[in-house]
Amino acid sequence: YQRRVHGGHAMDAPQGWKLSNKPGHGTVALSRTMGDESITVQFMLPPKQPYDTEVDNIQMHFDVLVERPSCGVLEFACSTDNGGYDLEGLSVFSDRDRKLAKEESAEGDYRRDQRYVGPLLDDLEGDIQEELAGFLEERGIVPDLSKWMQRYVKEVKDPAEYQQWLSGLLKFVDGK
């Protein structure tokens, strides 16, 4: 496991996951490999919510990228929901579009937004929805992971980013 300390608070990454968090950036990533697959979960600080919001009620979106050599990438769009998560969308990237699936730029976002993102998942047959949920569960995308992300944002990431923001503001105001 991996431990990160921010603002005096430490939190272990979930078992089997590697945590990537850059101070000053709003995005956090968890990654792991399973066989020949690379799995990445990316989540951002959610819009500001009241300080006393319960951890299970923190609403946030996250993406799950499952990458296979010579097959491409599946990108699952998800959101936290009452201590679990909802699967909202699924994009399929061929092997030649693999780079686009992972590109972190405004242009990459724009190009992904222009692609067909598939049907509304609620409109799929129930057995297909269950298969997709099972596919994610086999890769460690489970309600406990969603709860961990919510807790990490509330207890570690948001306070650390707030401290950094406040420090920058004070330096500016003091002229240093």
Side-chain angles (χ1 to χ4, degrees):
Y1 67 92
Q2 187 176 9
R3 181 171 276 244
R4 292 280 189 213
V5 178
H6 296 284
H9 185 81
M11 187 176 214
D12 292 337
Q15 183 70 33
W17 292 93
K18 180 181 178 225
L19 175 64
S20 298
N21 175 24
K22 294 179 185 173
H25 292 257
T27 302
V28 178
L30 294 167
S31 58
R32 73 186 315 172
T33 56
M34 292 183 65
D36 65 346
E37 293 180 347
S38 296
I39 303 156
T40 304
V41 178
Q42 299 173 325
F43 58 100
M44 295 183 68
L45 284 171
K48 289 296 174 197
Q49 299 179 35
Y51 179 76
D52 60 352
T53 300
E54 294 292 322
V55 170
D56 285 353
N57 293 329
I58 294 174
Q59 295 294 310
M60 52 192 269
H61 296 279
F62 62 96
D63 292 322
V64 178
L65 286 87
V66 180
E67 184 177 3
R68 282 189 184 157
S70 73
C71 292
V73 179
L74 295 180
E75 179 184 27
F76 295 86
C78 305
S79 64
T80 58
D81 181 42
N82 297 321
Y85 72 93
D86 286 330
L87 180 56
E88 297 175 340
L90 171 60
S91 295
V92 179
F93 295 87
S94 68
D95 195 44
R96 75 172 199 275
D97 290 333
R98 171 186 312 274
K99 199 172 178 181
L100 175 60
K102 302 187 311 180
E103 186 176 336
E104 294 183 27
S105 69
E107 182 175 333
D109 289 343
Y110 175 78
R111 289 178 50 212
R112 279 189 298 277
D113 287 347
Q114 302 307 305
R115 296 173 51 90
Y116 177 70
V117 295
L120 292 173
L121 296 184
D122 286 343
D123 290 344
L124 293 175
E125 297 290 326
D127 56 338
I128 295 174
Q129 291 180 38
E130 290 174 20
E131 288 292 323
L132 291 173
F135 178 86
L136 288 173
E137 185 176 332
E138 290 170 4
R139 284 148 185 85
I141 312 304
V142 294
D144 283 347
L145 185 66
S146 177
K147 291 177 190 176
W148 183 91
M149 290 186 291
Q150 290 169 305
R151 216 174 102 234
Y152 186 81
V153 162
K154 173 128 178 141
E155 297 175 10
V156 179
K157 183 66 173 170
D158 193 53
E161 295 303 326
Y162 174 71
Q163 285 179 338
Q164 186 173 343
W165 175 86
L166 190 57
S167 176
L169 176 62
L170 292 174
K171 283 180 185 175
F172 183 88
V173 170
D174 289 343
K176 296 180 182 177

